[in-house]
């Protein structure tokens, strides 16, 4: 009897100490699930925390499938519905294409035409992706500019018909954001504790990683290998546009992939514009618009579209921040 009691006490002690040990030294947290793919001409990554691997994998695959579908519909390469629409000049479009185009035209109006989803003819003329070459002659710029203008395009939501009005529709400045939003809502419904959808540095995020805020690095636009700042953004989207990712140089002049629809030449006022917004599609359009408008006018557009906030580095390297930027995207480690 006495022996049994001693054994029981010993067992209880072992149990208590094992529990205590676990409390003091919790098991290492499960690392997040990460899947990367090449998407929309850039590296994309989905990071999911707080889901068992199999579930995380299924969720990531569904999220990537949304983004791949958007790319297949809205890229300018041959065979896509957008390309077909541009070739025919009019046609019936999918609900998704209609949604992105409608949002693009609405951002065109709000930005006074700085963001313009009909800018395709100028994008093609400057062919920034094709490497260094002499800039096109003014006559060619004028001819392409005559084919640009968001008021020319007509969208009929009821019949889902679009008339390009002789323009070339180009959704490169907004479709990525839309794709990121679709992926994010897929992950939001997956039961994950936190996630990041990152397509070439444009991202949507929610929740946390093992109760630590997600950290997002902002590249230095003149030294893209180094970080300008590390942020811990609130749930939502953070998107950067700039003249340092896609550009070519000719005779010491930098020609960026963002075209000023008013002059017909690549935008020069801004090195980078980072926008936080609830939706990546809005952040995407705003970031592109700011690159055309410049820091001062761009921040006015941001102020007119709450809760968006922005951080802009202008062509001189001066940093401009909207008043609430540090609240929605605090610098990592900075005291609140
Ligand atoms: P982002 O990286 O989001 O700033 O988008 C840049 C892409 O948007 C370019 O590669 C073009 O496809 C397209 N784009 C260029 N200029 C404009 C503009 N003024 N408005 C809307 N889209 C543009
Ligand atoms: Mg954009």
């Amino acid at each position: 009897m006495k022996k049994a009691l001693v054994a029981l006490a010993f067992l209880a002690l072992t149990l208590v100490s094992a529990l205590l040990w676990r409390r003091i030294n919790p098991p290492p947290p499960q690392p997040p699930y990460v899947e990367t793919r090449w998407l929309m001409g850039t590296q994309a990554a989905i990071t999911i925390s707080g889901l068992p691997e199999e579930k995380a994998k299924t969720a990531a695959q569904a999220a990537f499938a949304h983004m791949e579908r958007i790319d297949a519909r809205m890229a300018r390469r041959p065979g896509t519905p957008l390309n077909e629409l541009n070739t025919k000049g009019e046609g019936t479009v999918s609900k998704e294409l209609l949604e992105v185009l409608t949002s693009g035209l609405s951002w065109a109006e709000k930005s006074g035409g700085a963001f313009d989803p009909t800018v395709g003819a100028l994008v093609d003329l400057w062919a920034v992706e094709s490497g260094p070459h002499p800039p096109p002659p003014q006559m060619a710029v004028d001819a392409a500019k005559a084919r640009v203008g968001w008021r020319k395009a007509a969208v009929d939501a009821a019949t889902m018909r679009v008339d390009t009005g002789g323009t070339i529709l180009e959704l490169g400045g907004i479709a990525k954001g839309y794709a990121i939003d679709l992926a994010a809502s897929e992950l939001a419904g997956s039961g994950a504790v936190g996630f990041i959808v990152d397509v070439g540095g444009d991202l949507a995020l929610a929740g946390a990683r093992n109760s630590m805020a997600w950290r997002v690095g902002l590249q230095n636009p003149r030294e893209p290998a180094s970080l300008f700042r590390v942020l811990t953004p609130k749930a939502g989207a953070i998107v950067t546009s700039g003249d340092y990712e896609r550009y070519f140089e000719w005779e010491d002049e930098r020609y960026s992939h963002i075209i000023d629809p008013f002059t017909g030449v690549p935008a020069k006022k801004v090195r980078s514009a980072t926008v936080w917004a609830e939706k990546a599609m809005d952040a995407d359009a705003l970031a592109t618009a700011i690159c055309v408008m410049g820091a001062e006018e761009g921040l006015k557009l941001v102020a007119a579209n709450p809760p968006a906030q922005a951080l802009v580095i202008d062509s001189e390297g001066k940093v401009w921040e909207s008043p609430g930027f540090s609240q929605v995207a605090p610098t990592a480690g900075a005291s609140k």
Side-chain angles (χ1 to χ4, degrees), residues 76 119-137 140-141 144 168 170 245-250 254-259 264-266:
R76 288 275 309 285
V119 77
L122 284 166
V123 169
D124 292 350
L125 177 70
W126 284 92
V128 168
E129 311 275 332
S130 69
H133 56 274
V141 171
I168 299 175
E170 162 67 66
E245 335 153 88
R246 292 174 194 200
Y247 66 94
F248 70 87
E249 278 175 329
W250 188 260
R254 182 184 285 243
Y255 296 95
S256 133
H257 66 141
I258 298 169
I259 317 285
V265 306

